[in-house]
Amino acid sequence: MATAEATSTAISICNPTKYFKNTNSDHNENDHESMLLLPGLPNHLAQLCLSSLHPSLLHAVCRSWRRLIYSPSFPPFFSLYALLSPTIHHHQQYSKSIEFFSLDPVSSAWRRLPGPPPPLCLLHRHPSFISRTLPIQSLTVAGRLVLIAATDDQFLPALSSPLVFDPLSNSYHWFYGPPLPTPRRWCAAGSMGSAIYVASGIGSHYQSEVARSMEKWDMNKKDREWKWEKMAPLKDSSFSREDVQAIGYRGKLCMVNVKGKSVKQGSVYDVAKDQWEHMPEGMLAGWSGAVAATVDGEDEMFVVDEERGELRRYDADNDTWEVVLEESVLLKGAEHIVAGRGRVCVVCGGGGRIVVVDVAVRPPRTWVVNPPPEMELVGVHILPRVSLSE
């Protein structure tokens, strides 16, 4: 029999199959039966048996099993998390423009997550400049969602400290990390293991020292020991032009300074050696759109060519990008991707849809997940589900 741990890591995200409630079972259960998970067994033993099964199988049977899936004692399965902003037509209060949702892969339903008080002023669109989006930079670090940089309504850095959401917290889900020596936006941000790295960027005004800086925060240390440590600086300030993803891949952070097909400069940071290296030529040449590395130790890196709509996987041994999915209209204009659990999730259509590619099968399957009504996607992440009662 599979272990609960093995089952929890094998859960699919964004499963297109819809699971329906067994209404006859719900209505015929009496109060005593609805409290029992398996007749003839104490609940703690029944839970050990049921936790080895895929949650989608349990969800379709009865109310008590559905309750078990979402209880804190059930092994956490993985969900898709999204940062969302109201669409232009409903963008009335820009100071409250970002909301947090989770897509339950079992019920295929979006759940609104609790927001951090007080409401954040993170601009995605400004009423006076609605034709241009402003970046809100977020990361997945050690099973947590981290907001690292954004712009406020005065066009200044909105976050003086990283803001962290812990989906498995037993109490309050949000907390702040240590204050950044220089709050910034338009920076390079990435993670490796439990450590967050922030490089370059612009504070309240441009400073060459900040534009070349590199700092690290290790979340695994005790709270009282939290601090930002200075690491080896960048060779120049070319990475402060726009928001940059530093992709954690095989012990290194890989990044380029501009997006799309433009001529770009690539750099690689070796975490263990604390030193910067040139990006391999093949990696740089194929970096033609949004890039992501898997978050679950599969050691893979993907790119979506934003013009061709082609999904590729990086082959480090040959320094080439191999085609996983041929040109697809759905993937054109890809803005952001996240990878893990055998899926690559791509934000496309100006934040109007998520295209999910199942890369664990051949040929890959694709399907579309729409955001909640009147909302557009800002970013997506793969994290353990929040323990919320159904």
Side-chain angles (χ1 to χ4, degrees), residues 366-382:
T366 63
W367 61 92
V368 174
V369 176
N370 294 316
E374 300 173 359
M375 303 290 282
E376 62 183 13
L377 294 146
V378 178
V380 291
H381 298 276
I382 298 171

Side-chain angles (χ1 to χ4, degrees), residues 266-309:
S267 194
V268 175
Y269 175 75
D270 189 311
V271 171
K273 297 179 180 178
D274 185 27
Q275 68 181 30
W276 293 90
E277 306 170 352
H278 290 293
M279 179 174 283
E281 291 183 7
M283 180 187 288
L284 179 59
W287 199 296
S288 55
V291 176
T294 49
V295 296
D296 43 23
E298 294 172 9
D299 212 20
E300 293 184 312
M301 183 162 62
F302 297 89
V303 64
V304 177
D305 188 300
E306 62 183 30
E307 290 185 5
R308 296 166 60 90

Side-chain angles (χ1 to χ4, degrees), residues 3 15 48 50 121 149 155 159 195 209 247 257 261 272 291 301 323 327 378:
T3 64
N15 196 318
L48 290 176
L50 295 175
C121 179
F155 295 99
L159 294 168
E209 182 181 352
I247 307 300
N257 63 337
K261 293 285 189 179
V291 176
M301 183 162 62
V323 175
E327 295 183 35
V378 178

Side-chain angles (χ1 to χ4, degrees), residues 79-291:
S79 302
L80 192 67
Y81 286 67
L83 282 69
L84 296 125
S85 175
T87 56
I88 295 176
H89 299 297
H90 295 83
H91 202 284
Q92 298 174 352
Q93 289 185 308
Y94 62 85
S95 62
K96 298 181 181 179
S97 61
I98 298 302
E99 297 187 42
F100 305 88
F101 281 74
S102 174
L103 180 65
D104 186 328
V106 178
S107 63
S108 298
W110 286 103
R111 295 172 180 263
R112 189 187 302 270
L113 300 176
L120 294 175
C121 179
L122 306 180
L123 287 190
H124 181 53
R125 295 184 189 273
H126 192 281
S128 301
F129 306 96
I130 60 174
S131 62
R132 181 176 181 179
T133 59
L134 299 170
I136 297 172
Q137 292 175 258
S138 55
L139 304 169
T140 300
V141 187
R144 295 163 173 167
L145 170 64
V146 181
L147 301 183
I148 198 72
T151 301
D152 68 12
D153 56 342
Q154 302 298 313
F155 295 99
L156 296 172
L159 294 168
S160 59
S161 301
L163 183 56
V164 184
F165 180 83
D166 185 353
L168 299 182
S169 172
N170 292 323
S171 53
Y172 185 59
H173 291 290
W174 291 94
F175 63 89
Y176 280 97
L180 284 154
T182 304
R184 64 194 75 189
R185 59 196 184 109
W186 309 102
C187 58
S191 66
M192 184 69 66
S194 63
I196 298 173
Y197 295 84
V198 174
S200 194
I202 301 173
S204 57
H205 58 279
Y206 176 81
Q207 293 177 291
S208 59
E209 182 181 352
V210 173
R212 294 183 61 247
S213 67
M214 174 73 156
E215 292 168 295
K216 167 189 170 183
W217 167 38
D218 189 347
M219 295 178 66
N220 258 1
K221 293 185 177 180
K222 296 180 180 179
D223 297 12
R224 62 177 179 272
E225 298 176 353
W226 280 354
K227 63 178 182 179
W228 289 95
E229 305 172 51
K230 285 191 175 296
M231 310 305 290
L234 289 152
K235 295 179 180 179
D236 56 50
S237 59
S238 62
F239 286 84
S240 61
R241 299 177 183 178
E242 53 184 281
D243 59 306
V244 173
Q245 280 187 291
I247 307 300
Y249 177 69
R250 297 192 175 185
K252 298 180 179 181
L253 295 172
C254 310
M255 63 188 83
V256 299
N257 63 337
V258 294
K259 298 177 180 178
K261 293 285 189 179
S262 304
V263 176
K264 56 182 68 71
Q265 176 182 333
S267 194
V268 175
Y269 175 75
D270 189 311
V271 171
K273 297 179 180 178
D274 185 27
Q275 68 181 30
W276 293 90
E277 306 170 352
H278 290 293
M279 179 174 283
E281 291 183 7
M283 180 187 288
L284 179 59
W287 199 296
S288 55
V291 176

Side-chain angles (χ1 to χ4, degrees), residues 300-336:
E300 293 184 312
M301 183 162 62
F302 297 89
V303 64
V304 177
D305 188 300
E306 62 183 30
E307 290 185 5
R308 296 166 60 90
E310 192 173 70
L311 177 66
R312 307 188 195 108
R313 180 191 288 109
Y314 183 63
D315 179 353
D317 295 332
N318 298 304
D319 190 25
T320 58
W321 295 85
E322 60 182 25
V323 175
V324 176
L325 183 66
E326 298 286 352
E327 295 183 35
S328 168
V329 174
L330 288 175
L331 294 180
K332 288 185 177 181
E335 300 171 5
H336 178 72

